[in-house]
Amino acid sequence: LREEHFAPPTLAMLSILSQSVALNAPLRPTPVQRAVSPQMADITAFGGIWGIEAKEAIFNAWDPEKPRDYSNFNPFERNLDGAMSDMNGCFPGESRGYKPPNRPDASWAIMQEEAKKMEEIKKDPKYGLSGKPGCYSLKWQENLGAPP
């Protein structure tokens, strides 16, 4: 067909129809960027046992200048009740997500060896720090997601 066979009102109708079809076309959803899941401290090298060796490794990796999170914390730090944290840095009865850790065997001889190791750890300048972003406070989980 040639253009002269279409009357101007027909062209106008076709134009309106094509615009309305485009407006009613399904919209593609916009991609959503998912938040990165929080990571907990990795203690698999220690058989998943939350013992002095695992705590010492986490302590050595701890950066007190970075905000405290589930993998950046001082495992020797205690909360206001005197409790020690689990392998996420969470405290029993206080923090969301506390998980009772797999504890190592204990004996008088093992405890004496650990006491010697603790004396060496306590010599590290960052052992007794407080008031830094990576240190314990009641609000340390405020901006974190759920524990892993």
Side-chain angles (χ1 to χ4, degrees):
L1 294 171
R2 296 169 52 191
E3 283 186 28
E4 64 229 37
H5 291 261
F6 288 106
T10 308
L11 286 175
M13 287 297 289
L14 285 175
S15 173
I16 292 170
L17 177 66
S18 67
Q19 288 174 4
S20 72
V21 169
L23 290 175
N24 292 325
L27 297 174
R28 288 180 35 195
T30 56
V32 176
Q33 185 175 14
R34 298 189 187 253
V36 177
S37 298
Q39 297 295 313
M40 67 183 263
D42 183 11
I43 60 170
T44 56
F46 307 98
I49 303 296
W50 190 231
I52 190 81
E53 294 83 9
K55 291 177 184 180
E56 190 173 7
I58 301 305
F59 177 75
N60 290 335
W62 172 53
D63 182 353
E65 298 300 329
K66 291 183 181 174
R68 181 185 171 100
D69 62 23
Y70 300 118
S71 61
N72 186 54
F73 62 95
N74 178 352
F76 301 112
E77 200 169 38
R78 295 182 179 264
N79 71 357
L80 299 176
D81 297 328
M84 292 187 80
S85 68
D86 68 1
M87 56 278 177
N88 290 323
C90 297
F91 293 95
E94 179 182 292
S95 306
R96 291 183 315 239
Y98 174 78
K99 297 175 185 173
N102 293 327
R103 301 185 196 284
D105 290 336
S107 70
W108 178 254
I110 291 171
M111 291 171 65
Q112 295 307 304
E113 288 302 312
E114 288 181 356
K116 290 177 189 173
K117 285 184 182 179
M118 283 305 301
E119 290 306 314
E120 289 302 311
I121 292 168
K122 288 177 182 179
K123 292 177 184 176
D124 190 305
K126 64 182 185 177
Y127 178 81
L129 286 178
S130 63
K132 299 283 186 181
C135 294
Y136 168 76
S137 78
L138 285 172
K139 296 182 178 187
W140 76 272
Q141 279 184 303
E142 198 169 75
N143 296 321
L144 296 176

